[in-house]
Amino acid sequence: MSDSADRHHAARLLLRIDEGAFASRLMASGARPGVRARVLAVLRWQRRLDAAIDRVSRRPVHRLDPPVRVVLRQGLAEVVVLGVPRAVGGDAAVRLVRRMGVSSAAGLVNAVLRRAPDAWSGLATAPLALRFSHPDWLVERWTRHF
């Protein structure tokens, strides 16, 4: 399977997870390493990814169409977490959003993914919960306990 096919498969899985499916069940069927890495990177860093996208987008992430939201998260995760070059990740995300049938959002995806990695870096001084993409209550508990 190519990187393009892995990206598309990962995006479809992320859409199903967004709708309420369990990631562990979807991944138990033997997802390829490229698919697994993309899905887990998005799920692990989702809070910080959304915050970075929100900083550079006119519309909040939660108000975007689900396929666009998934492609933006995945594209940004590839660049900032998985180390894909910014130009490659952005181009792949634009092709993916078109492949998913939302060609009208290609410009939005391109514009957001050009600026979002800088916004991600800007979150390095954010509160611990956001910086490490953990729930507030968990960080508060850890802070009290440790």
Side-chain angles (χ1 to χ4, degrees):
M1 208 182 276
S2 68
D3 272 349
S4 175
D6 282 354
R7 281 184 181 95
H8 190 247
H9 186 66
R12 287 194 331 258
L13 290 179
L14 287 166
L15 274 173
R16 291 190 56 202
I17 293 166
D18 234 17
E19 294 167 353
F22 290 104
S24 58
R25 289 191 179 170
L26 294 175
M27 303 283 262
S29 62
R32 292 178 41 85
V35 174
R36 180 177 293 277
R38 286 172 174 90
V39 170
L40 293 179
V42 169
L43 295 178
R44 164 65 184 92
W45 292 102
Q46 184 170 326
R47 184 173 182 192
R48 188 168 171 181
L49 292 169
D50 287 354
I53 293 167
D54 281 345
R55 283 187 169 196
V56 298
S57 177
R58 290 182 184 152
R59 295 178 76 189
V61 170
H62 70 275
R63 295 197 59 220
L64 295 171
D65 291 335
V68 176
R69 179 174 51 238
V70 163
V71 169
L72 284 172
R73 286 175 179 161
Q74 182 176 320
L76 182 57
E78 284 184 12
V79 172
V80 297
V81 177
L82 301 178
V84 173
R86 190 182 289 206
V88 174
D91 180 59
V94 168
R95 283 188 275 118
L96 178 59
V97 80
R98 286 183 177 140
R99 185 174 179 188
M100 294 184 74
V102 195
S103 296
S104 61
L108 169 75
V109 169
N110 185 37
V112 169
L113 289 181
R114 283 183 188 209
R115 298 185 316 255
D118 295 329
W120 171 276
S121 299
L123 292 170
T125 58
L128 282 175
L130 180 58
R131 187 178 342 150
F132 295 108
S133 197
H134 291 312
D136 290 328
W137 65 266
L138 185 60
V139 172
E140 289 170 11
R141 179 184 291 177
W142 285 345
T143 303
R144 277 194 320 270
H145 190 271
F146 298 111

